[in-house]
Amino acid sequence: MVATATNLQQLVQKGWVWQGQQTPLQKASTDFLDSGWPELNAQLGGGWLRGSVNEIQIEVGFRGELGLVLPLLQRSNERPHVWVNPPAQPYAPGLQSQGLVPQQQWCIQETDHTKALWAMEQCIQSQSVGLILAWLPQLNAAQVRRLQQVTEQAQQLVFIFTDCQQEPEARAYVNRLRLHWQDELQIEVLKRRFGWPLPPFPCALQRLFPERRLVKKPAHNSTSHAVTGTTRLVL
C-alpha cells in the first residue's frame, strides 16, 4: 500500500512516526532554558525547550542522574518543584548542600498509575510550580502525547526518568536521552526536536558532585544512601 500524505500525518499524530526538522529560524534564545551544561545545550539547539516533556533513560539509578537537571533546580528556588513517584525519599541535607530548599521540593507518591498521571497533569497546568520530575516507566504513546500537549500549552518543563530500552518505541517526547557511565557520564541523544540522533558524548557531571561521590567508576551496588534504615535519594 502506498502511503499518502494523509496517512503519514495520522501516523505522526499517533506518535508512531518521528518527523525530523531543523531548528526553525523563528525560535529565539528565550524559547530555551539553559541546561547548565554547555555541551548539552549545543546538541539540543540551545538548551531545554520551553513547553517540553523530556525522557531520561538510565542504566542504573542513583548514579547522579539528577545532576543533569540540578542547574535548573538551583535557578528556580522561588517556586516549588514537584517529584512524582521518586524511587526513594529525597534527602534534605543533600538538597541543601546543592543550594536547594527542601521545603520547595514537593513529593507525590501514588501507586495508581492513572491517579499519578492525573496529579501530574494538574501540576503541569498550575502556574505555581517549577520543574516537574517524574518516575513513570509505563507511559504509552497516547499518555506521552497528552502530557506533551498539556506541557506545551502551559509552557512548562517536564522530565520523565525511565529504565533503558533496547528498542524504544516511538513517543512524543521532545528529547529522549540515554545516560551511560564510563570514566564519566556519557549522554546519548536518541531523539531531539531539531536534528538527528547523536552518539554518546561526555558531560562533566562530576563537577557538581560532593567530594564523597567523586569516584572514577561508580560501583554497581552503590545505589542508595541509608539513614536509619530508610532509603534516601541523594544528589
Side-chain angles (χ1 to χ4, degrees):
M1 182 181 69
V2 178
T4 66
T6 301
N7 291 336
L8 286 175
Q9 187 60 35
Q10 290 174 347
L11 293 175
V12 170
Q13 291 175 350
K14 291 180 179 180
W16 294 353
V17 172
W18 172 66
Q19 184 177 17
Q21 56 185 304
Q22 297 296 321
T23 307
L25 296 176
Q26 65 268 25
K27 284 293 182 185
S29 59
T30 53
D31 293 319
F32 297 89
L33 289 173
D34 181 7
S35 71
W37 306 103
E39 54 270 61
L40 182 58
N41 288 344
Q43 306 301 342
L44 298 184
W48 302 112
L49 184 65
R50 295 180 186 273
S52 67
V53 180
N54 305 275
E55 181 190 45
I56 300 177
Q57 296 185 16
I58 53 179
E59 292 179 329
V60 180
F62 304 95
R63 283 195 166 185
E65 60 271 12
L66 285 176
L68 199 63
V69 298
L70 182 58
L72 286 174
L73 293 170
Q74 291 171 329
R75 295 199 304 267
S76 307
N77 264 331
E78 70 279 0
R79 293 192 296 172
H81 304 301
V82 177
W83 305 49
V84 180
N85 288 346
Q89 179 182 341
Y91 186 52
L95 297 173
Q96 289 177 317
S97 72
Q98 295 289 356
L100 303 182
V101 180
Q103 293 81 0
Q104 293 286 71
Q105 316 306 316
W106 295 1
C107 290
I108 298 174
Q109 289 288 1
E110 177 53 68
T111 57
D112 186 295
H113 187 69
T114 301
K115 292 180 179 179
L117 278 175
W118 179 87
M120 187 174 173
E121 189 169 319
Q122 304 313 303
C123 293
I124 292 172
Q125 294 174 331
S126 171
Q127 297 299 314
S128 61
V129 302
L131 298 186
I132 298 169
L133 315 177
W135 286 257
L136 297 173
Q138 300 175 348
L139 292 179
N140 60 37
Q143 291 167 338
V144 175
R145 185 169 63 253
R146 168 65 182 175
L147 287 176
Q148 176 55 42
Q149 291 172 344
V150 174
T151 301
E152 186 170 3
Q153 183 178 11
Q155 285 296 283
Q156 263 288 9
L157 194 56
V158 176
F159 295 92
I160 308 291
F161 294 88
T162 69
D163 296 331
C164 283
Q165 305 161 33
Q166 294 301 319
E167 297 182 2
E169 298 180 358
R171 294 290 186 269
Y173 295 111
V174 169
N175 298 299
R176 304 186 78 175
L177 309 181
R178 180 182 291 160
L179 307 187
H180 306 273
W181 275 103
Q182 296 179 7
D183 290 342
E184 59 184 340
L185 177 70
Q186 301 278 327
I187 301 177
E188 179 182 0
V189 178
L190 304 176
K191 174 188 173 183
R192 53 181 177 158
R193 174 65 64 88
F194 307 120
W196 298 105
L198 295 171
F201 60 90
C203 182
L205 200 67
Q206 292 94 325
R207 70 177 175 83
L208 291 181
F209 285 4
E211 186 174 352
R212 68 179 184 279
R213 299 288 303 278
L214 293 179
V215 293
K216 189 173 182 180
K217 291 185 179 181
H220 281 276
N221 61 357
S222 179
T223 59
S224 63
H225 179 69
V227 177
T228 64
T230 302
T231 303
R232 307 283 186 174
L233 186 61
V234 298
L235 295 170

